[in-house]
Amino acid sequence: MQGSEHVTKRLLTRRGVLTGAAAVSAATILPRASLGADWRPTETVRLIVPAAPGGSTDVMGRMLAAHLQGAWGQSAIVENRSGAGGTIGTAEVTRQKGDGHTILVGNPGPNAIALSIYRNLSYKADQLQAVSNLIRIPNIISAHPSVPIKSIAEMIAYIKANPDKLTYGSSGIGQSPHLTMAWLLQLTGLKMVHVPFRGAGPALQAALGGDIQILSDNLFPSLPQVQDGKLTGLAVTTPERSPSAPNLPTVRDTGQELAKFDVSSWFGIFLPKSTPAPIVDALNKEIKVFLEREDTKKNIAAMGARTDYGTPQQFSDFVAAETAKFAAIIKQEGLQMDVN
């Protein structure tokens, strides 16, 4: 997707200026939607992925980049800017011009959780313009087979009967899987020792080895271990069951105290806040086309995810709700960290 950039210099004549002025005048009376539909990039488009290559954020960035390159006839490249929980790459986008040529592939970490958990975050939510979500993937809670627990209800009962006997692991403090379990325990008034690991891989290995009894993780890579019988799947964390694991109940199925439980890993698109509405609309339109493609649907289903297109306002409202939800969980847990 790499390509050379071409810079064209035009001489401004009186006729050119008048033509430009007429175009601006016409633009003021054209509907927002038509302006958005007409916008196209004039140079290479950069999709900033605030994570390392290979993860879901990166995969979605590369899939969308390929679509935009074909749709717009302009080079679209993915740049991985990982580090500090995704905040390094996110901060970079907030400093860019809002000309449509720099796009952020966001996720809950830097775009919802970081806003409450980090004391020294270098950006604010209002420095980004939400465009649309792409996909949502449930988290999954599982148990080591040696523990007599096969559901969330049984886990709750076991904790009540055996205080301080269970530990749960996650990919790290403040990560979505950690806050998933923290919220569940808050809602049920229970306690369990959290064992944070440096990433999902080490946490999974600890669960498989029985070093921790409960694991809170993204759907993958845990689901294959559940399907192989190496872990016992207890529930998925979204309101609906996952097509990849239709036999696994949701946390909500447990009872009234968890009736509003909803946690997912989501991946969506943002632009710098200064980006004009026509550019936001043009990108939103292409995201809708991208998510409706049959090959896209097939690839997303293979990830255990579902598409989650929305208008800029719908996605903005969703991110605001996610930010508020995680802020409340973080406050109750008393979590505060510094960006390293």
Side-chain angles (χ1 to χ4, degrees), residues 6-21 23-24 42:
H6 301 281
V7 180
T8 303
K9 296 182 178 179
R10 295 187 305 172
L11 294 174
L12 292 177
T13 63
R14 174 178 172 79
R15 180 178 180 183
V17 171
L18 291 175
T19 301
V24 171
T42 57

Side-chain angles (χ1 to χ4, degrees), residues 69-225:
Q69 181 162 299
W72 283 339
Q74 187 65 255
S75 294
I77 62 173
V78 167
E79 295 183 10
N80 296 92
R81 295 283 187 269
S82 61
T87 62
I88 291 176
T90 303
E92 179 180 339
V93 175
T94 65
R95 296 190 291 266
Q96 303 302 309
K97 294 185 298 183
D99 59 6
H101 295 101
T102 305
I103 298 169
L104 173 68
V105 186
N107 64 65
N111 295 108
I113 296 170
L115 297 166
S116 297
I117 205 167
Y118 289 121
R119 283 181 287 252
N120 60 337
L121 194 63
S122 63
Y123 59 87
K124 297 181 180 180
D126 62 8
Q127 291 180 267
L128 291 169
Q129 163 68 55
V131 181
S132 174
N133 201 19
L134 298 175
I135 62 172
R136 294 184 69 184
I137 307 175
N139 289 339
I140 182 173
I141 301 172
S142 56
H144 189 269
S146 64
V147 184
I149 296 173
K150 298 189 182 302
S151 68
I152 296 296
E154 289 184 5
M155 183 187 77
I156 291 171
Y158 189 93
I159 296 172
K160 290 179 178 178
N162 302 274
D164 304 320
K165 289 284 184 71
L166 293 182
T167 59
Y168 77 92
S170 77
S171 53
I173 295 175
Q175 300 295 312
S176 173
H178 169 214
L179 298 180
T180 293
M181 281 300 298
W183 193 26
L184 190 155
L185 294 169
Q186 289 174 8
L187 292 173
T188 55
L190 300 173
K191 301 289 184 182
M192 202 184 331
V193 175
H194 174 221
V195 182
F197 292 85
R198 294 181 66 85
L204 177 59
Q205 290 306 311
L208 291 171
D211 298 325
I212 53 174
Q213 292 77 49
I214 304 294
L215 176 65
S216 181
D217 193 12
N218 299 136
L219 190 64
F220 290 95
S222 280
L223 184 58
Q225 310 303 323

Side-chain angles (χ1 to χ4, degrees), residues 67-68 71-72 281-291:
H67 171 81
L68 293 179
W72 283 339
D281 289 344
L283 180 54
N284 180 275
K285 174 189 173 184
E286 285 306 329
I287 289 172
K288 188 173 190 295
V289 173
F290 164 67
L291 293 176

